[in-house]
């Protein structure tokens, strides 16, 4: 499946037939605008070529500026960078999809996207309020649009050449299967929470069988403490192989055949998270035998992210 045995160089071909996704992705869910710019620049300098954005993160403009400045300084061509962004829940009505896509493109300062994802399978009340609520504070869902309706509008974007690939995020296998069956253009990528405490083995198996890239977020467990990076199995392997716990977790993700997203916010951590190398087989086996099971992000159940910065009002 992979082009190279060096995880840093590895890119996965997409099933739409156009483009390759670098397995090591930099996530841009960063609440602070200034930190978004410095962290994106540092990630580019460290070697990251895959950038995961979203209209909901509220910082596409800053990411775009950092990518342009960093690419110019490093003489990096647009084709050498893989950029994803995501359609938010309040834009699921088919007539809202292309305008939302165009607005993201404009904010990012790009003329095409490598990948556009439906951020969650939950449709919210259509409109400019990203977090529509009733008087009790409950989310206002939109029951007059199906995921397939939205998907068809996404397919049109591919037809028009505006984005190279489309996919889904925060989706379960039960929701993915019927969409996959009905889709004219099959999803190229599925972005979900995954780490040793949430291996999502069944979903990963389905993705491998269908040639869908499984893109793991929270590979470091969102950095929560205590958490994955303090797990005794991970720490012991890190000591044994002379890597940090973060590097062990990222290597495990790549070696089991997933792409990943991580969000280092300093130059030193960007270098650390990019500088991974394959783990020995016995270490992979030890991690696979970890019994703890924990989902950190409730977004898959409600469409409301535990991932949203407080400043975004969530
Ligand atoms: N589709 C979705 O619904 C969804 C949901 C969540 C996230 N995402 C995407 O996934 C990306 C990744 O986010 P994540 O939270 O899942 O990333 P993560 O890399 O698992 O966790 C980030 C946290 O780990 C810490 N960290 C990063 N590198 C470290 C290292 N080498 N050593 C120790 N701590 C380290 C960071 O700390 P510092 O802040 O101190 O640097 C931060 O607190 C997001 O930016 C976003 O693009 C998508």
């Amino acid at each position: 499946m992979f082009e190279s045995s060096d995880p840093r160089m590895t890119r996965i071909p997409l099933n739409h037939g156009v483009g390759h996704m670098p397995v090591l992705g930099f996530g841009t869910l960063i609440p602070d605008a200034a930190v978004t710019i410095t962290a994106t620049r540092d990630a580019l300098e460290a070697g990251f070529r895959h950038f995961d954005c979203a209209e909901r993160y509220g910082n596409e403009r800053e990411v775009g500026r950092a990518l342009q400045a960093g690419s110019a300084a490093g003489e990096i061509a647009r084709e050498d960078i893989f950029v994803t962004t995501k359609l938010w829940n309040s834009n699921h009505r088919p007539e809202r999809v292309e305008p939302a896509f165009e607005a993201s493109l404009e904010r990012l300062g790009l003329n095409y996207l490598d990948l556009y994802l439906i951020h969650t399978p939950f449709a919210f009340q259509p409109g400019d309020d990203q977090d529509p609520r009733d008087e009790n504070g409950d989310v206002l869902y939109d029951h007059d649009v199906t995921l397939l309706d939205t998907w068809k509008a996404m397919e049109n974007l591919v037809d028009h050449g505006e984005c190279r690939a489309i996919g889904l995020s925060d989706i379960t296998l039960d929701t993915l299967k019927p969409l996959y069956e009905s889709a004219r253009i099959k999803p190229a990528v599925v972005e979900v929470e995954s780490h040793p405490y949430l291996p999502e083995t069944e979903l990963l198996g389905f993705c491998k069988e269908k040639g869908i890239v499984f893109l793991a977020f929270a590979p470091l467990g969102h950095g929560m403490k205590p958490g994955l990076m303090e797990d005794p199995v991970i720490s012991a392997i890190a000591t044994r192989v002379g890597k940090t716990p973060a590097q062990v977790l990222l290597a495990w993700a790549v070696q089991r055949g997933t792409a990943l997203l991580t969000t280092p916010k300093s130059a030193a951590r960007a270098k650390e998270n990019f500088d991974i190398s394959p783990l020995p087989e016995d270490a992979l086996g030890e991690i696979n035998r970890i019994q703890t099971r924990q989902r950190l992000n409730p977004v898959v159940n409600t469409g409301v992210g535990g991932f949203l910065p407080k400043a975004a009002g969530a």
Side-chain angles (χ1 to χ4, degrees), residues 25-30 51-54 57 86 88 117-120 169-170 191-193 216-225 229 244-247 250 260-266 268-270 272-273 297 299-300 305-308:
F26 174 77
T28 64
L29 177 46
I30 302 172
F51 295 84
D52 180 80
C53 315
Y57 301 165
K86 311 189 195 80
W88 183 239
L117 301 176
I118 299 181
H119 202 143
T120 88
S169 170
D170 297 317
E191 178 180 319
V192 291
E193 176 182 342
F217 73 76
L220 305 180
H222 284 330
M224 286 173 173
K225 287 188 193 306
M229 283 183 278
T244 66
Q247 289 169 325
L250 300 178
L260 63 85
L261 297 170
T262 176
T263 306
K265 296 195 199 70
S266 66
R269 278 194 173 163
E272 175 185 338
N273 291 7
N297 202 313
V299 61
V300 73
F307 56 83
L308 290 171

Side-chain angles (χ1 to χ4, degrees), residues 14-38:
L14 299 182
N15 63 8
H16 295 358
V18 187
H20 291 74
M21 173 189 276
V23 291
L24 297 182
F26 174 77
T28 64
L29 177 46
I30 302 172
D32 184 274
V35 178
T36 299
I37 293 175
T38 54

Side-chain angles (χ1 to χ4, degrees), residues 4-251:
S4 160
S5 59
D6 182 344
R8 294 167 302 178
M9 310 307 289
T10 298
R11 303 184 307 154
I12 309 181
L14 299 182
N15 63 8
H16 295 358
V18 187
H20 291 74
M21 173 189 276
V23 291
L24 297 182
F26 174 77
T28 64
L29 177 46
I30 302 172
D32 184 274
V35 178
T36 299
I37 293 175
T38 54
T40 304
R41 186 201 59 208
D42 291 342
L44 197 63
E45 267 179 34
F48 284 92
R49 293 293 178 267
H50 165 184
F51 295 84
D52 180 80
C53 315
E55 91 180 83
R56 181 60 169 140
Y57 301 165
N59 59 1
E60 289 173 309
R61 234 174 256 293
E62 286 77 13
V63 175
R65 275 174 45 204
L67 286 180
Q68 273 142 30
S71 300
E75 297 184 6
I76 301 164
R78 167 68 183 94
E79 305 80 61
D80 294 330
I81 298 181
F82 187 100
V83 184
T84 303
T85 198
K86 311 189 195 80
L87 178 85
W88 183 239
N89 301 352
S90 49
N91 286 323
H92 275 214
R93 292 276 175 110
E95 68 276 13
R96 296 184 68 85
V97 171
E98 188 167 5
F101 174 88
E102 295 292 349
S104 280
L105 213 53
E106 187 274 322
R107 286 189 293 267
L108 286 163
L110 299 175
N111 56 18
Y112 73 90
L113 271 184
D114 297 276
L115 177 66
Y116 198 41
L117 301 176
I118 299 181
H119 202 143
T120 88
F122 295 89
F124 288 0
Q125 176 180 277
D128 294 334
D129 181 356
Q130 293 191 333
D131 190 29
R133 305 267 174 165
D134 67 14
E135 58 281 6
N136 301 318
D138 295 326
V139 173
L140 289 166
Y141 291 98
D142 180 2
H143 299 292
D144 294 328
V145 61
T146 67
L147 188 59
L148 186 58
D149 295 334
T150 308
W151 185 257
K152 287 179 176 164
M154 301 281 284
E155 291 174 331
N156 290 339
L157 298 176
V158 179
D159 290 340
H160 300 159
E162 294 167 297
C163 67
R164 295 193 164 168
I166 49 178
L168 298 145
S169 170
D170 297 317
I171 190 122
T172 60
L173 186 53
D174 284 348
T175 309
L176 174 62
K177 275 183 176 167
L179 190 280
Y180 181 88
E181 290 308 324
S182 309
R184 176 171 60 83
I185 300 177
K186 305 297 181 194
V189 176
V190 164
E191 178 180 319
V192 291
E193 176 182 342
S194 189
H195 41 71
Y197 293 172
L198 190 67
E200 294 280 22
T201 313
E202 215 186 329
L203 178 59
L204 177 58
F206 180 83
C207 288
K208 284 184 175 175
E209 184 191 318
K210 303 295 187 193
I212 301 171
V213 175
F214 180 111
L215 175 58
F217 73 76
L220 305 180
H222 284 330
M224 286 173 173
K225 287 188 193 306
L228 272 164
M229 283 183 278
E230 289 80 36
D231 184 284
V233 172
I234 303 297
S235 310
I237 293 171
T239 306
R240 210 163 76 220
V241 300
K243 289 283 186 178
T244 66
Q247 289 169 325
V248 168
L249 288 162
L250 300 178

